[in-house]
Amino acid sequence: MVSPPEIIGHGTWYDKAAKELIERELRLGRSLDLIRTESGLGASGFPHIGSLGDCIRNYAIALAVEEQGYKAEYIAFSDDKDGLRKVPAGLPKELEKWLGYPVSDIPDPFGRCHESFGDHMSSLLLEALDVIGVEYRFMSGARVYRQGLLNREIIEIMENAERAGRIIYEEIGQTKFLNSLPYFPVCENCGRIYTTNAYKYLPDERKVLYRCEGMEVKGRWLEGCGYEGEVDVTAGEGKLSWKVEFAARWKALDIRFEAYGKDIADSVKVNDRICREILGHEPPMHVQYEMFLDKGGRKISKSAGNVFTPQVWFRYGSPQSLNLLLLKRFIGTRSVGVEDIPVYMDELDRLEDIYFNRVNIEDPKERAKLRGLYEYCWLLKPPKEPSVHIPYRLLVNLARVAPEGREEEYIREKLSEYGYLKRGARGLEERIRYALNWVRDFEEPVRKPVELSAEEAEAVRRLIGELRRGRGADDYQSAVFKVARSLGLSPRRFFRTLYLILLGEPQGPRFGPYVEAIGVENAIGELERALEGD
RNA sequence: GGGCCCGUAGCUCAGCAAGGUAGAGCGACGGCCUCUUAAGCCGUGGGUCGAGGGUUCGAAUCCCUCCGGGCCCGCCA
């Protein structure tokens, strides 16, 4: 009855899903020569952490399929034929004139670094994929339409547009496609894609007739130019509505798996039926996951319009720590913010300890799962040796007090003193960089001028004298007590004042060694400034 | 209107896939260098796992109902 648990692949959710996927394909009698997974890349705004989640989760399934002994491939499909619906936060208002245009037709707002707006945005995501090590086959929607890769499916859908419209209505109650074709032509006159209404299909010529009559997009009316035209649906001068486009993609590109966020759940539901009933093709296996939400509060980056991008994460944390966030759980809404990065950095260290058997986990299933999760964080290419492990907060604390100009040296010395470097220092440099970035960006000392009483000012003056005469940490330490005693001041209070001056905090590391570390001249300089500011 | 997720220690949350002794961080409390400075370390306390029912030898975990909170979609993508 109680049989030992069978561990599939690396023991993770991905391995289990991959097994189900393969079994499903076997049941359907399809070829197993190549199992493709896919995700759509939004190209109309800055890629968010969640955008990367779409990619890496579908890629992880491809990896898991390969672990089962089959060939697999992940396709990153850029939705760059979609129109611009809203000017992303952080970009100039002038872009409003491009609302409704396909993002692949809009010039790159950042200059000439990319061919188009859409190209710029999707390349930001591709960059992140490269940093993380995701292998993908990139496809641009605009190019796919131009190359005619979806033509057979487009025609089939146009010929059955009435049925498609009914399916959409039945599934989600949307009436629009009962009267319009699920195809958006790019207006030959004004160049916009969301203002056109395709109302008639001419099967012999494979053309749709349309009027540029305008549409409401994100609560805002985009007035059409009134142009009436016709367009060949195989010419790549328009696109299918999302309500039917996925189905076309799935069949034409032979996609077997697509995990998606719940925001597009309705579209997937409709497309599943379109795929089966109109294209006669069994849709891919799906898994639905929750969204990643921005945590309010902390300012991240002005230039990025406060979007929590992968690039922001990489400033403070490793690619693998981001993978951990994205892979560890599928269900449950995740509110994420930069403040979570230390947690994931530390958790990854724990997983690494488990992977390298420095920490024993009794339950074999549990152990397999955690080791597997670690391996997937490295996209199944884990390092041969563990890295150095230092609690992120400790690094931040050290980075905060590290004397300017020799931060790294100081941090290394301290860590060595604390015994953290006994097993080597693999990856220490990056960790120090992350912590320094953290402190620079979030803990820029808000050193308010310290108000000194006459007595305290006198104490500071005397201390400066003592520091000048002193030689080394012990002298500096003693000086504080000497001065405090000479004025009948409580050393506790005096230390507090000194830390407020030097660090902006009421506490700090042992005074003498700290003064030595930052350089006694620097310390004296700070103290003199405090006197002047009085 | 339709759908999804969450509810676990004072606080923030992990654990739930594939049931097997209730976990972490922060806070609180106690201790650990000494010329009163420990951003560190060690330890302690703290939970009817939202409520009720079901399945099971066994449920935080699976199923059902209810209560409370949140999110997504609604003629765009």
Side-chain angles (χ1 to χ4, degrees):
Chain A
M1 181 102 186
V2 181
S3 54
E6 186 207 353
I7 291 167
I8 302 163
H10 297 263
T12 70
W13 183 89
Y14 298 92
D15 301 285
K16 191 181 171 236
K19 188 169 181 237
E20 278 169 24
L21 168 56
I22 290 160
E23 282 165 358
R24 177 173 185 264
E25 293 300 325
L26 279 171
R27 267 201 315 279
L28 292 170
R30 289 174 175 163
S31 158
L32 293 171
D33 291 348
L34 181 60
I35 308 281
R36 280 211 185 89
T37 70
E38 180 210 33
S39 74
L41 278 53
S44 46
F46 292 99
H48 177 261
I49 293 288
S51 322
L52 195 59
D54 297 335
C55 302
I56 192 169
R57 286 164 158 173
N58 284 292
Y59 176 62
I61 294 288
L63 283 179
V65 166
E66 287 184 338
E67 290 300 289
Q68 305 270 322
Y70 299 90
K71 258 191 88 175
E73 179 179 63
Y74 160 65
I75 292 187
F77 191 103
S78 172
D79 290 312
D80 58 2
K81 193 72 183 172
D82 294 0
L84 184 68
R85 291 165 295 157
K86 206 182 158 199
V87 176
L91 288 181
K93 270 247 181 285
E94 293 89 85
L95 281 169
E96 282 190 356
K97 66 178 180 223
W98 292 106
L99 288 177
Y101 286 82
V103 291
S104 52
D105 290 343
I106 301 173
D108 188 345
F110 294 92
R112 289 167 196 275
C113 50
H114 295 85
E115 279 176 30
S116 68
F117 181 102
D119 200 29
H120 188 104
M121 292 303 183
S122 53
S123 74
L124 286 175
L125 191 53
L126 298 183
E127 261 170 41
L129 291 180
D130 292 336
V131 168
I132 276 180
V134 169
E135 289 173 37
Y136 53 87
R137 185 154 132 222
F138 177 73
M139 295 186 118
S140 140
R143 236 168 298 158
V144 164
Y145 277 102
R146 214 179 307 132
Q147 291 164 345
L149 296 183
L150 304 182
N151 282 353
R152 279 172 46 171
E153 290 72 24
I154 294 172
I155 289 163
E156 230 169 325
I157 289 167
M158 287 303 111
E159 284 175 352
N160 295 282
E162 210 173 304
R163 262 173 73 204
R166 216 163 45 235
I167 289 172
I168 294 168
Y169 176 70
E170 281 170 20
E171 288 298 322
I172 59 174
Q174 181 179 348
T175 55
K176 172 176 170 127
F177 296 114
L178 291 175
N179 305 308
S180 300
L181 297 163
Y183 188 89
F184 290 101
V186 174
C187 177
E188 289 159 276
N189 182 51
C190 71
R192 288 174 298 174
I193 193 167
Y194 287 153
T195 45
T196 57
N197 179 12
Y199 57 91
K200 188 170 174 58
Y201 180 62
L202 308 174
D204 296 337
E205 302 165 69
R206 296 172 172 182
K207 281 181 174 171
V208 294
L209 306 183
Y210 68 90
R211 271 186 298 271
C212 188
E213 54 191 33
M215 184 190 282
E216 188 177 313
V217 173
K218 293 248 171 188
R220 167 178 180 155
W221 179 257
L222 285 183
E223 185 58 45
C225 70
Y227 185 80
E228 297 207 19
E230 54 178 54
V231 66
D232 181 344
V233 293
T234 65
E237 281 154 19
K239 75 182 289 289
L240 292 170
S241 158
W242 258 23
K243 293 292 182 308
V244 299
E245 186 189 80
F246 298 168
R249 266 150 61 172
W250 294 335
K251 182 175 182 187
L253 307 178
D254 193 21
I255 305 297
R256 310 295 182 86
F257 180 93
E258 179 161 355
Y260 60 90
K262 74 174 176 185
D263 53 331
I264 61 166
D266 281 347
S267 290
V268 171
K269 192 164 66 175
V270 169
N271 274 287
D272 277 348
R273 274 193 67 187
I274 300 283
C275 199
R276 269 192 203 106
E277 296 175 30
I278 291 180
L279 300 179
H281 181 82
E282 190 58 23
M285 171 173 155
H286 297 301
V287 176
Q288 184 180 319
Y289 50 78
E290 292 282 317
M291 315 298 298
F292 288 92
L293 304 172
D294 269 320
K295 256 178 202 163
R298 181 111 63 164
K299 224 178 199 172
I300 295 170
S301 157
K302 277 176 202 150
S303 61
N306 269 359
V307 176
F308 192 11
T309 65
Q311 281 76 12
V312 170
W313 186 291
F314 298 147
R315 233 180 113 64
Y316 316 107
S318 67
Q320 292 73 38
S321 67
L322 177 54
N323 288 349
L324 176 58
L325 165 78
L326 300 176
L327 290 173
K328 76 174 285 191
R329 211 168 54 145
F330 232 76
I331 53 166
T333 308
R334 325 286 305 269
S335 297
V336 295
V338 276
E339 59 268 43
D340 297 316
I341 293 174
V343 176
Y344 286 96
M345 286 291 285
D346 289 348
E347 185 174 344
L348 190 69
D349 282 348
R350 192 180 141 256
L351 292 178
E352 191 166 77
D353 281 337
I354 292 165
Y355 179 77
F356 285 104
N357 288 315
R358 286 176 171 181
V359 170
N360 187 38
I361 302 286
E362 286 300 331
D363 180 34
K365 230 171 34 174
E366 178 79 2
R367 187 171 57 235
K369 181 172 84 177
L370 294 173
R371 288 177 55 114
L373 181 56
Y374 177 77
E375 293 172 300
Y376 277 101
C377 286
W378 281 94
L379 302 176
L380 302 189
K381 290 173 188 161
K384 300 264 185 294
E385 304 278 332
S387 61
V388 65
H389 292 183
I390 301 150
Y392 198 95
R393 274 168 218 291
L394 173 58
L395 274 174
V396 167
N397 286 337
L398 290 174
R400 195 181 294 142
V401 297
E404 232 176 298
R406 46 183 293 267
E407 292 90 348
E408 184 166 346
E409 192 188 341
Y410 175 84
I411 294 171
R412 276 180 191 274
E413 275 167 21
K414 284 290 161 192
L415 289 173
S416 180
E417 211 175 283
Y418 295 166
Y420 277 98
L421 305 183
K422 283 177 190 155
R423 284 163 143 169
R426 278 176 66 96
L428 180 59
E429 210 177 311
E430 289 80 22
R431 285 170 189 255
I432 291 176
R433 198 179 65 234
Y434 296 143
L436 287 170
N437 285 340
W438 182 278
V439 170
R440 265 178 217 132
D441 295 355
F442 304 130
E443 317 204 4
E444 199 62 35
V446 222
R447 238 177 279 178
K448 282 181 275 180
V450 183
E451 284 190 28
L452 299 176
S453 65
E455 194 183 31
E456 283 169 332
E458 176 57 23
V460 169
R461 268 190 292 272
R462 287 191 192 183
L463 181 66
I464 290 168
E466 292 293 331
L467 291 180
R468 287 220 166 95
R469 278 190 291 279
R471 293 178 180 281
D474 287 348
D475 284 0
Y476 306 145
Q477 182 76 10
S478 308
V480 179
F481 292 96
K482 194 172 163 189
V483 168
R485 270 190 231 110
S486 72
L487 287 167
L489 216 78
S490 127
R492 187 187 196 76
R493 270 201 59 83
F494 191 34
F495 272 114
R496 192 184 132 84
T497 305
L498 293 174
Y499 285 115
L500 282 171
I501 292 170
L502 295 178
L503 293 168
E505 305 263 342
Q507 291 181 28
R510 200 174 165 83
F511 185 81
Y514 180 67
V515 167
E516 189 169 44
I518 63 172
V520 68
E521 285 310 318
N522 294 330
I524 289 170
E526 289 287 337
L527 295 173
E528 282 174 338
R529 280 231 302 278
L531 286 174
E532 285 161 20
D534 192 25

